[in-house]
Amino acid sequence: MALTEFGLIDRFFAGQPLINACSRLGIGDDCALIEVPDGCELAVTTDTMVENVHFFSDADPECLGHKLLAVNLSDLASMGARPCAATLALTLPSVDAAWLEGFSSGFIHLARRFSVDLIGGDTTSGALVLTVQAMGLVPKDMALRRASARVGDLVYITGDLGDAGLGLKVAQGLVSDAPEAVLQRLHRPEPRVAAGLTLRNLASACIDVSDGLVSDLGHLLRASGVGASIDWDRLPFSRAVADYITRTGDWQMPLTAGDDYELCFTIPPERENLLQERLHSLHCTCRKIGCIEVSQGLRVTKAGREVQITVPGFEHFTMAAR
Ligand code: ADP
Ligand code: MG
């Protein structure tokens, strides 16, 4: 029997117990209710994924469910917020139970791992568009912002750069000899939530890298009214990305490809020791790649020489679908 809108919500999304004390009312009424504890602020973010823009039509629905939530949790992580709740707006061309089964299980599995309550949403018919709004709590005035990097601060990046970009090349059939792990990085990004929480008291500014380091660090620099130099030779690459660069000479890829979902943050030099002490609580590696300078713009040096970036990062309305 065909599922109705309400049958679909009940079967795939409702019925998860609420786990956070701040989630006062979940799915089923006209609004959900969230209680923001004294001394906290609610961080709110939305990200949409559109078929043939953010994912291919044959994408694994379980990965889509994971990635849709993960990219939103990455935004919370970059602000130092602890995820607590999310709403999910689905526009579906048809009710495909097998697709919904996969999508909801990818979504709900990641939600449980990060203690996120699914507290509401909307379900409509139309071209496939997936939207999540995620919410998180952060102690008042403690959120990590883009606009507060200072001259002399050091620039750091979590994890490795370029794996998702390489994964996209594999998915597009442009590269054939890369390990499966790079496709995982593309399809199942791991939001750096623990790192964001640890960096609350340490970083001066932070942004998540969704559209490539050059583009996203550029946003942080402009917001802060400063510039930076980064050293290409310090950038963290997986073996797969290092091999790809050696083979192809394409050294710009890990600077400009999207979907890394690592955190790029700045830290005053006097707090570097504290960062070293707390490295284990980041739950990922992190690497110093440069420093903040007075002179506006981003300079990249490679083998001691300044190099020019000629490939733009991803931007909607100016580039073809990825
Ligand atoms: P309304 O018409 O009052 O906006 P809906 O009929 O759209 O409410 O939704 C009924 C309930 O189901 C609401 O609590 C809404 O938040 C929830 N809901 C609808 N779609 C989804 C979804 N895709 N995921 C989670 N909850 C949903
Ligand atoms: Mg509605």
Side-chain angles (χ1 to χ4, degrees), residues 5-6 9 13 26-30 88 90 118-123:
E5 175 189 341
F6 300 106
I9 297 164
F13 300 105
I27 293 175
D29 215 314
D30 289 313
L88 171 65
L90 293 177
L118 178 60
I119 56 169
D122 198 19
T123 307

Side-chain angles (χ1 to χ4, degrees), residues 174-197:
L174 300 172
V175 168
S176 56
D177 47 357
E180 170 69 23
V182 298
L183 281 168
Q184 287 290 311
R185 290 290 311 267
L186 174 67
H187 294 313
R188 303 181 63 85
E190 180 69 13
R192 298 301 189 193
V193 170
L197 295 177

Side-chain angles (χ1 to χ4, degrees), residues 58-181:
D58 61 353
D60 176 351
E62 204 265 338
C63 290
L64 286 180
H66 173 103
K67 187 164 180 175
L68 180 66
L69 182 58
V71 302
N72 279 277
L73 298 187
S74 175
D75 282 325
L76 293 178
S78 78
M79 300 283 290
R82 182 184 295 283
C84 62
T87 62
L88 171 65
L90 293 177
T91 305
L92 306 169
S94 62
V95 178
D96 176 341
W99 189 93
L100 280 161
E101 190 75 56
F103 176 84
S104 61
S105 82
F107 185 99
I108 288 166
H109 184 74
L110 188 68
R112 285 214 191 103
R113 269 185 57 211
F114 285 96
S115 300
V116 172
D117 291 319
L118 178 60
I119 56 169
D122 198 19
T123 307
T124 55
S125 74
L128 186 58
V129 179
L130 313 168
T131 299
V132 158
Q133 181 179 60
M135 287 146 273
L137 294 171
V138 60
K140 202 166 178 330
D141 298 321
M142 294 274 284
L144 298 168
R145 310 271 294 264
R146 297 178 179 189
S148 36
R150 294 286 168 263
V151 173
D153 288 353
L154 307 166
V155 180
Y156 272 78
I157 185 89
T158 62
D160 290 329
L161 289 175
D163 290 284
L166 183 55
L168 180 63
K169 288 185 185 296
V170 173
Q172 290 172 327
L174 300 172
V175 168
S176 56
D177 47 357
E180 170 69 23

